[in-house]
């Protein structure tokens, strides 16, 4: 366990589920062969944390406006900005003077058609030089009714509600969200990983003639040798697991 957490979550809505380490099996949805032998897929699925909505609720987009309802509401309500039930009073009682009127909304209909901002009930801080990538669930089928926008939050500088923007993709059909069911994945990334200097600095080997002897040797070890011995599946996965067990997870350059 990392003695200095790179990410700290804050639960502002008491009913919100705590973030859960993302599941390498894709919540049990990955094919057995992929789970056993494809480390690339399981590592992506298990990278980060799963987040759930803090309450069961539904959204409905009629093509013009968004409507919502939750337990305790008999009818659909037009969505402008909606507070989590009874949260505004709790926030006002806990906040320092001057801040009590600024409770974050739970749901907000944005000006773009069919786009809704949903708050997870959490906030987060990252260590200096680290950010959070907020995204759809990795390697799980996309929900047919909505698509999360991906966003990178520099939570070492910005402290506030951890939310996502959802683009609703169905009209005239209720879209249900459940408090115990993950709908987002957040992943810690060093800010150096998306800096312009790195992204503009990728090298290119233009053709086969440019491959070195070392490149061909690595190709043989990675691709040719396993095909010569097809009776040993999952060699890459086994080697990747050995590397993870035997190496420091924070070796190498890490932002200060």
């Amino acid at each position: 366990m990392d003695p200095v957490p790179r990410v700290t979550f804050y639960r502002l809505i008491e009913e919100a589920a705590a973030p859960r380490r993302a599941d390498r099996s894709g919540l049990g949805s990955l094919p057995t062969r992929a789970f056993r032998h494809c480390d690339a897929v399981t590592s992506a699925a298990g990278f980060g944390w799963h987040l759930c909505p803090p309450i069961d609720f539904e959204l409905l987009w009629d093509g013009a406006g968004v409507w919502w309802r939750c337990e305790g509401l008999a009818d659909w309500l037009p969505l402008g900005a909606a507070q989590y039930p009874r949260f505004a009073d709790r926030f006002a009682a806990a906040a320092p003077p001057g801040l009590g009127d600024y409770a974050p909304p739970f749901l907000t209909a944005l000006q773009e058609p069919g786009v809704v901002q949903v708050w997870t009930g959490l906030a987060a801080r990252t260590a200096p030089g680290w950010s959070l990538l907020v995204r759809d669930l990795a390697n799980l089928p996309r929900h047919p009714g909505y698509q999360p926008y991906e966003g990178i939050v520099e939570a070492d500088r910005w402290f506030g509600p951890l939310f996502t923007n959802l683009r609703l993709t169905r009209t005239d059909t209720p879209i249900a969200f459940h408090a115990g069911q993950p709908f987002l994945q957040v992943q810690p990334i060093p800010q150096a990983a998306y800096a312009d200097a790195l992204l503009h600095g990728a090298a290119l080997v233009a053709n086969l003639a440019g491959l070195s002897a070392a490149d061909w040797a690595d190709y043989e070890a990675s691709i040719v040798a396993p095909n010569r011995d097809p009776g040993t599946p999952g060699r890459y996965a086994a080697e990747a697991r050995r590397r993870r067990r035997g190496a420091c997870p924070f070796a190498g350059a890490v932002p200060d």
Side-chain angles (χ1 to χ4, degrees):
M1 181 179 295
D2 182 13
V4 180
R6 296 313 196 260
V7 181
T8 300
F9 294 101
Y10 299 76
R11 183 161 55 190
L12 306 187
I13 293 178
E14 295 176 6
E15 295 85 353
R20 302 198 295 257
R21 169 69 194 272
D23 178 28
R24 290 177 64 87
S25 73
L27 298 176
S29 69
L30 291 182
T32 300
R33 193 162 64 93
F35 178 65
R36 292 183 59 189
H37 302 306
C38 190
D39 190 76
V41 168
T42 57
S43 291
F47 176 31
W49 300 270
H50 286 164
L51 305 184
C52 302
I55 192 175
D56 292 350
F57 69 98
E58 291 180 289
L59 296 175
L60 177 67
W61 180 35
D62 63 10
V66 177
W67 301 72
W68 81 289
R69 68 182 178 187
C70 67
E71 183 178 356
L73 294 178
D75 298 318
W76 290 94
L77 296 179
L79 180 61
Q83 284 283 349
Y84 183 86
R86 297 175 293 279
F87 177 72
D89 291 338
R90 289 190 227 168
F91 186 89
L99 303 184
D101 293 334
Y102 294 91
F106 170 48
L107 298 172
T108 305
L110 303 184
Q111 62 183 6
E112 292 78 11
V115 178
V116 178
Q117 188 173 99
V118 180
W119 180 32
T120 61
L122 305 171
R125 282 193 191 277
T126 51
W130 288 78
S131 295
L132 281 178
L133 171 62
V134 184
R135 53 159 297 170
D136 203 353
L137 299 171
N139 289 334
L140 268 77
R142 290 183 173 178
H143 193 283
Y146 66 85
Q147 176 62 47
Y149 285 90
E150 294 195 7
I152 296 176
V153 183
E154 295 190 345
D156 60 341
R157 301 180 178 89
W158 188 87
F159 182 70
L162 187 57
F163 60 80
T164 186
N165 294 333
L166 302 181
R167 182 172 61 89
L168 306 183
T169 56
R170 284 184 170 179
T171 58
D172 302 316
T173 302
I175 302 168
F177 298 79
H178 300 287
Q181 183 174 315
F183 78 127
L184 289 178
Q185 190 157 335
V186 292
Q187 300 172 328
I189 54 173
Q191 290 164 9
Y194 59 92
D196 284 344
L198 183 148
L199 298 178
H200 289 315
L204 172 68
V205 175
N207 50 47
L208 285 170
L211 271 66
S212 67
D215 294 328
W216 284 115
D218 288 342
Y219 185 86
E220 180 180 15
S222 300
I223 305 299
V224 179
N227 280 278
R228 287 175 177 160
D229 184 16
T232 309
R235 182 176 305 189
Y236 171 87
E239 292 178 353
R241 286 192 290 266
R242 282 196 294 270
R243 284 195 301 272
R244 284 198 295 270
R245 286 195 297 266
C248 171
F250 300 106
V254 174
D256 294 333

